[in-house]
Structures are given as C-alpha cells and as structure tokens.
Amino acid sequence: MDHTQFTHDNRRRPKHPFPKKATYREAFRIKPIPLNWFRGIGSAISVGIPSLIGFLIGDPALGILASVGGFTFLYVSNEPYSQRAVRLFWIALGLTASFALGALSSYNDVLMVLMFGVVGFISTMLFKLFEIVGPGGLFIVLAYAIGTSMPHDLAALGSNVLCVLLGAIFAWIVAMTGVLVKPHRNENKAVSAVYQSLATLLSSIGMDTYTERQHQTAFLIKQAERTLSHAKLFGKWKRNNYVLENLIRLNAQAEVIFLSILDVSQEQKHEMEDRLAESLQIISNQLRDKDKEKDVNVQISEEGSSAFLRDLYANVKFAYEIHFGTVDLIPAPASSGEEEKKNVIGNDLIKKAFSRDSHIPFVALRYGTIIFISAAIAYGFHLNRSYWVPLSSAAVMGGGTYVSNLLRGIQRSVGTIIGIWIGAALLWLKPAGLFVSLTLAGLQFIVELIYARNYSLAVMFITPSTLLIGTTINPALTSGYFISARLVDIIIGSIVAIVGTALLWRKISSKRLLTVFSDAVGKEGEMLISMLESEHTSIQASKQQELQHALLQLRLVYDSALAESLRRDVKVTSLWPAVGDCLHLGYMLLAASRHPSREVAEERVHEYKAYFERLTHSIKDNENLCMDVPDVPRLPEYPLIYEDLARLHRSLGNEAIKKGMELHG
C-alpha cells in the first residue's frame, strides 16, 4: 500500500477536544438511554415473589429475608449465560454468607463494626479482581447489615440463612431463564454494539467526536472479545456452536473494518462513506433481530475511489457474507480475550491484584475503611437503625472516583428527601399482607427501570421500599422512627463517604498517569520498530494486542485522573493535547501495520530505538523534552506516521505540557 499518496494537505486530521467536564448539574441530568425492561421485570420478580410467598405462609418477615437473596439478580449484566451462571452462583453464596456473618457478629459491637469494614474490603477486592460490573460490594454489605439487625436467636439463625439462600437460588433461576429462548442473546448484543459503533465512527471522521468514537469502538471490540471467549464454555448443541462461531468471526472482522476506517480517515471525504456506514448499521440491527429484510447492496466504482476506500468496502461486504453464512470460512480464530482469560487463571490473579501498578488494593482498602468509619460513628453514637449509615456510605462510593461519589452523594440526599414523602404516604395507608409484596415488587421494578438514567430518581423509590421493609420486619416500631432515622443516616453516611474519598488515595490515577503514558509511547515504539524490521506476522500480532491494551489503559487512567476533581486540574488537563496525539498515533500505527514496507537499514532501526527509549524515559521522569530528546528521525516509508510522531513530539515540548509534567513530579 502506497502511503506517500496522502499528505497533511488532504488528510482529515481529528481534533482532540477536552473530555467533558463534570458539573453539579450532571447530578440531575437524565441520560437518554433506553429503559432496561429486563432488569426491571426480573428484579421485581426476584424480590416480589419471595415476599409474596412469605405472606401466603403467614410469615412476612421470612419472605422479606428471602427477598434479600433476590438481590442476586441485580448483578446481572450483558455477560454470556455460561459466565452468568457461575458468577451469580458465587454472588448468591456471598450474599448468604454475608448475612450469616452479620447475624453472628452482632453479639459483639466492636467485632460487628470491624466486620463492616472487612466485608466491604473483601467484596470490593473480589469484584474488582474478577471485573464484575454492577453494584459492586453494596448488596454484600447490605446483606451483612440486615444480618446484624436480626434478633439474637441462634435457634432461628439456620432458618433465616436458608430463606436468604432460597431467595438467591430463585433469583439465579430468574436470571437464567433467557438461556432457554436465545442462548447467545448477550453475545449478539455485544457484537451488535460493535457494528453500531463502527457505523458511528465512520460517520464522524473529521468531526470533534471522532477521537471519542475511536476510543469507544476499540473498547467495545475488546469487550466483545472477552464476552465471546467466555461464551465458548457454554453449549454442545450444533446450532448454538454455529451461531457462536459466526459471532466470533464477525467480531474478528470488525477489528479489520476498524483498522480500514482508520486508513480511510487519512483521506478526504467521499460520499461512499455514508453508504458504508449505513451498511454497518444494518448488520448491527440484524444482529438484534431488526431490519431482517434489508440487504447490504453497496456498489463502489473503481474510478474516483482510493485503495483504502475499496479495501473498506471489501471488508464490510465480507462481514455481511459472514453474517449470512454465504461464504466458506476456516475455523474462527482464538480471540485475544480467550488468551487473556487463560492467562488470568490461578496465580496470575494474585499478581494482577498486587502488582506494582495495580490500584485495586487501594480502592478496596478505601471502600472498607470508609464503611468501617461510618459504622463506628453510627454505632458509637447509638443512632437509630445504625446500619443505614455504612450502607449509605457504600452506596455513595459506588461512583468510584471523587467526582462520581460527590454527585452520587447529592443525588442520594435529594432523592431520599423526596422518597421519604412517598414512603410516608405509603405507610399512612398502613400496608399489610399482599399489598406489601406487590408494592415492593412495583418499587423494585421502577428502580431498576430508571436506575441507569438518573440515580436520584431511583433513590426516590429505593427509600419507600426500605421503609416498607423496615416496618414489615419490625412491626413494633413506628413509621416516624424509620423516617427520621433514614433521613439522618443518609446524610451522615453520604458526608463520610465524600470526605473519606477526598482524603484517602484520591490521586491514585493522577500518580499513575505519566507511567501509563510512558508505557503507551513505549508500545508505539515497539510497534513501529517491528514494522521497520518486517517481523513475522505472529510477532506483530502480539505487539498489536499489547499496543491496543496500552492505548485503552491510557484513556481509562486519564479519564479517572480527570474525575478526581470538579475543577480542571492543570496537572491533568495540560497533558491532554499530548495524550490525544499519543492515542491518535497509536491507532494510526495499528492501521499502518497492515501495510508492511520494505525492510530498512539496521542503523535507522537503532536510531528509532534510541529515540523512543529517550522519549519514554523523559515522560516517566518528567525531564525537559525540548532539550534532551532529539528531533524525530526521518521515516520515508510511513510519511503520515512521521507527521503524527512529530506532532506528538511538539505537544510534549509545549510549555504548558512541561509545566503539567513538572507538577506531576
């Protein structure tokens, strides 16, 4: 492929606008995302049916305890059913064990408070380590808290624990029912999201949103790889295996299309791009059982179209042929996600958790410490329903970063105040029996339906649900007791969580940023040198995977560093132009690696090795780039890569960048 046909005069260089700044108004913004009907209905069934059974057998309190196990359903995500079955099984056992531990530790106040922190630390550590998305350790802490509130009756402990376990098993069954209808539904959704993102990326070339779309597409491809690698564990039926093989091939082809789009982004706009984007969208829709009648019928003229555009057209057409099975294919390649899964099993999990660059222990320790402090304050001052304080802290810390936690604290406080009025109205009706079960199910349905759109809206319905559970388990206590306790405990718990997040390891990502940045630049150097040395395809493929991981990690750490303060921290924002150029260079290298050049002289390879070695050390050690790093060596084989590398060099030499790097030091 001749890279010299395009120059900086006719290529569409993407801009790198700063990532969106968080504001207080973000706490009240309703996100325009689809309502999650499956989670709403499933959670309502998982929580409502156990409480209904408790009413029918004449013991509503046992029904409510079974509903605690029903929270297992809330950990459902878009993972394959094979992975879901295993994950939810362990979460069900975790909820049950946590409840039992709470009941046993409640006999000693000091032990009980200490175990709040231990449960928070261990649950967060495991959820982060195994990359389980969802509410994190919140409901594990909730199960423990409810266990501490139970009457001291060892004779009843066995039946109470059994109720929680049965509720968890029922939720597991509800979560797995879809496997009977469409075993690979979630895998289809993952690959569909990839092709939709490819369509959006192709349409956004040259726009301000291109950089963000580029990152999102690369992330979704990797996420789909992991999903499909776990899906291989499920199913022996011929039809299921055929569907899965096709999805694996489609996702592998999506990565080829992604690199082709990067090639096309180097050229001027062509009208054929919009039609190819529409074709990609059709494939995405068909994977979700939409637009089944539509056909990808795009024709491209040899005249007036570039080699890059024709290559993109051929790759999109091939994806369509894979989708409809109109082409004979070799067995699907093993995804990098599968290799990653193999490498993570066993001792590597421990290495992953406690490696020098890992932030997992600090996040888990912060979570456990703050919950411990919240519990110590609540039980030390003998607050009503003391366990609501650490629970509020656990819920607020679900945001992860300081900014997210601050916004969640605002959302939780405002939502609770409004929710108390809704709860007071419900309690005024003096609910009993069947009404309690139906109301709990209805509230849970609404919560999960709107949770992702806005947390404060969800809290408005979580609060009356909590009040209803409290009055059902403890009918001797008045509704006024629960309402006043809820309001006070929510505010105290939120404040402790926000202050704790601000003081404990708040700058984890900022401190890692230059190291991760340096690593990404180093991987780019390895990729370029591999291309210049014309290394074997398998070696280049390995370096491509390493570079993709480094680019995704750089963006993740940068976004986390940006979310450590509501104000635009000069230490982080000053680095963005260089980070944006680094990301662009990395993706252009991935695209260019598909078009090998002739092998170059050994002295020029050594020249680039020395250049990247000095550049990475300068970034990591906060040295003066202008003085210590030589100019970019010539690169006639890849003139556009040279241009991108020179742009990164200039960005790093900018005075604002140097100031930011000095502040990081």
Side-chain angles (χ1 to χ4, degrees):
M1 186 69 63
D2 184 10
H3 283 251
T4 60
Q5 59 184 308
F6 304 113
T7 67
H8 66 277
D9 295 326
N10 59 15
R11 74 186 299 200
R12 287 171 286 178
R13 171 169 290 282
K15 300 175 182 177
H16 307 308
F18 278 104
K20 186 178 179 182
K21 179 184 177 183
T23 64
Y24 289 107
R25 284 183 292 183
E26 189 72 18
F28 305 103
R29 185 174 73 89
I30 299 177
K31 299 175 183 176
I33 59 178
L35 297 174
N36 199 328
W37 294 98
F38 174 71
R39 285 185 66 88
I41 295 172
S43 61
I45 293 173
S46 299
V47 172
I49 295 297
S51 64
L52 177 59
I53 293 174
F55 159 72
L56 293 175
I57 65 175
D59 197 337
L62 281 181
I64 294 297
L65 285 180
S67 297
V68 173
F71 289 134
T72 299
F73 182 88
L74 302 182
Y75 289 90
V76 165
S77 61
N78 290 327
E79 71 276 269
Y81 283 110
S82 54
Q83 188 181 30
R84 177 180 297 179
V86 176
R87 283 186 171 181
L88 292 190
F89 169 78
W90 287 109
I91 289 170
L93 291 183
L95 283 169
T96 306
S98 186
F99 172 82
L101 183 62
L104 292 172
S105 63
S106 63
Y107 289 89
N108 183 291
D109 287 348
V110 175
L111 176 63
M112 179 176 61
V113 170
L114 178 63
M115 291 308 297
F116 261 108
V118 172
V119 169
F121 169 78
I122 294 176
S123 59
T124 302
M125 189 80 172
L126 292 175
F127 281 117
K128 292 290 184 184
L129 190 59
F130 289 97
E131 299 179 350
I132 300 176
V133 298
L138 172 60
F139 287 97
I140 305 295
V141 175
L142 171 63
Y144 174 82
I146 292 176
T148 64
S149 70
M150 300 302 296
H152 292 168
D153 184 2
L154 285 176
L157 178 61
S159 60
N160 290 341
V161 171
L162 181 61
C163 280
V164 175
L165 179 60
L166 290 175
I169 292 172
F170 176 71
W172 184 94
I173 294 172
V174 173
M176 293 299 296
T177 52
V179 73
L180 301 174
V181 181
K182 196 170 184 180
H184 294 302
R185 174 178 177 271
N186 294 323
E187 293 92 313
N188 270 282
K189 286 177 64 177
V191 179
S192 173
V194 168
Y195 276 84
Q196 183 173 8
S197 186
L198 286 171
T200 308
L201 175 67
L202 182 55
S203 300
S204 65
I205 296 177
M207 300 180 182
D208 289 347
T209 57
Y210 178 76
T211 298
E212 186 65 34
R213 297 294 184 188
Q214 190 181 59
H215 166 72
Q216 182 185 48
T217 304
F219 174 79
L220 287 174
I221 291 173
K222 287 299 171 187
Q223 190 177 57
E225 278 186 2
R226 288 192 293 269
T227 298
L228 293 167
S229 68
H230 286 290
K232 272 187 169 293
L233 297 174
F234 174 79
K236 298 293 184 182
W237 302 325
K238 185 176 180 180
R239 170 62 184 167
N240 288 341
N241 288 336
Y242 171 78
V243 171
L244 183 57
E245 286 290 315
N246 251 28
L247 290 173
I248 293 172
R249 293 186 183 103
L250 272 174
N251 197 62
Q253 184 63 15
E255 187 161 5
V256 177
I257 294 172
F258 174 64
L259 297 177
S260 292
I261 292 175
L262 298 182
D263 281 334
V264 170
S265 71
Q266 301 177 67
E267 308 173 330
Q268 291 182 326
K269 174 75 174 179
H270 193 285
E271 60 180 9
M272 189 60 62
E273 293 175 22
D274 293 332
R275 296 175 63 186
L276 289 173
E278 183 182 353
S279 300
L280 291 168
Q281 184 63 57
I282 290 173
I283 295 175
S284 172
N285 292 343
Q286 289 176 345
L287 286 168
R288 289 178 177 261
D289 295 325
K290 301 177 182 178
D291 294 339
K292 281 296 185 184
E293 302 302 320
K294 287 193 176 182
D295 190 5
V296 179
N297 189 24
V298 178
Q299 298 296 328
I300 189 166
S301 172
E302 292 287 333
E303 186 177 350
S305 59
S306 68
F308 284 159
L309 189 60
R310 292 194 297 272
D311 185 50
L312 175 59
Y313 164 75
N315 289 328
V316 172
K317 185 178 180 182
F318 190 60
Y320 185 75
E321 292 171 350
I322 294 173
H323 177 47
F324 278 95
T326 58
V327 62
D328 293 328
L329 296 170
I330 59 174
S335 66
S336 61
E338 185 173 355
E339 292 302 318
E340 179 183 334
K341 178 186 67 177
K342 291 178 182 177
N343 292 334
V344 168
I345 294 175
N347 293 332
D348 285 346
L349 279 175
I350 305 300
K351 294 178 182 178
K352 176 184 176 183
F354 296 101
S355 65
R356 185 168 56 99
D357 297 327
S358 174
H359 67 289
I360 293 177
F362 299 103
V363 172
L365 190 58
R366 178 174 64 191
Y367 195 91
T369 301
I370 292 174
I371 291 177
F372 166 74
I373 293 172
S374 298
I377 292 173
Y379 287 96
F381 286 95
H382 303 287
L383 299 177
N384 292 335
R385 315 306 289 174
S386 296
Y387 67 83
W388 276 345
V389 176
L391 273 180
S392 294
S393 293
V396 169
M397 285 189 292
T401 63
Y402 170 75
V403 171
S404 298
N405 291 351
L406 178 60
L407 296 180
R408 282 176 74 93
I410 295 171
Q411 291 171 329
R412 191 165 178 82
S413 300
V414 173
T416 297
I417 293 172
I418 299 174
I420 281 176
W421 287 95
I422 299 174
L426 282 175
L427 296 178
W428 180 76
L429 297 173
K430 298 183 178 178
L434 182 62
F435 182 77
V436 173
S437 300
L438 294 177
T439 303
L440 282 176
L443 290 172
Q444 190 63 38
F445 169 75
I446 296 172
V447 168
E448 290 303 314
L449 194 67
I450 64 176
Y451 185 90
R453 287 197 167 190
N454 186 276
Y455 181 60
S456 59
L457 289 178
V459 174
M460 289 168 51
F461 298 95
I462 292 174
T463 300
S465 178
T466 307
L467 297 175
L468 200 55
I469 290 173
T471 55
T472 302
I473 294 180
N474 301 278
L477 300 174
T478 65
S479 58
Y481 168 88
F482 286 102
I483 290 173
S484 61
R486 180 74 175 173
L487 184 59
V488 172
D489 294 350
I490 288 293
I491 293 175
I492 293 175
S494 298
I495 291 174
V496 172
I498 293 170
V499 173
T501 307
L503 297 178
L504 298 175
W505 299 291
R506 177 178 170 182
K507 300 291 186 180
I508 295 176
S509 296
S510 294
K511 291 179 179 178
R512 295 177 60 213
L513 183 53
L514 287 181
T515 299
V516 175
F517 189 7
S518 174
D519 181 62
V521 173
K523 296 300 182 187
E524 290 173 343
E526 292 176 13
M527 186 74 253
L528 178 57
I529 291 166
S530 174
M531 292 159 55
L532 294 177
E533 291 181 334
S534 300
E535 288 187 333
H536 192 272
T537 304
S538 61
I539 298 176
Q540 280 206 9
S542 173
K543 294 186 184 300
Q544 287 170 354
Q545 296 295 339
E546 292 175 1
L547 176 55
Q548 288 180 32
H549 175 77
L551 295 175
L552 291 173
Q553 188 71 4
L554 174 58
R555 182 58 194 267
L556 176 66
V557 172
Y558 183 85
D559 287 344
S560 297
L562 198 65
E564 291 173 346
S565 173
L566 272 174
R567 297 183 177 182
R568 284 200 177 277
D569 190 338
V570 66
K571 293 183 292 185
V572 179
T573 55
S574 61
L575 285 173
W576 173 246
V579 169
D581 286 335
C582 175
L583 293 171
H584 179 67
L585 170 64
Y587 287 117
M588 288 298 102
L589 279 167
L590 289 172
S593 66
R594 299 163 60 238
H595 315 298
S597 67
R598 63 183 183 279
E599 188 172 352
V600 302
E602 186 175 347
E603 59 269 17
R604 287 191 48 224
V605 173
H606 283 301
E607 193 177 4
Y608 259 102
K609 285 181 178 178
Y611 172 78
F612 273 101
E613 183 178 355
R614 188 70 195 103
L615 187 62
T616 54
H617 282 306
S618 296
I619 295 172
K620 195 171 184 177
D621 300 336
N622 311 313
E623 297 178 13
N624 190 320
L625 294 171
C626 287
M627 292 178 60
D628 295 339
V629 178
D631 290 337
V632 182
R634 59 191 181 87
L635 191 63
E637 294 81 10
Y638 298 100
L640 297 183
I641 297 298
Y642 173 83
E643 180 187 333
D644 290 331
L645 190 52
R647 188 183 180 97
L648 171 63
H649 187 99
R650 290 193 298 270
S651 295
L652 288 168
N654 184 280
E655 288 297 325
I657 299 290
K658 290 190 291 180
K659 181 180 178 182
M661 293 176 71
E662 289 168 3
L663 288 171
H664 270 287

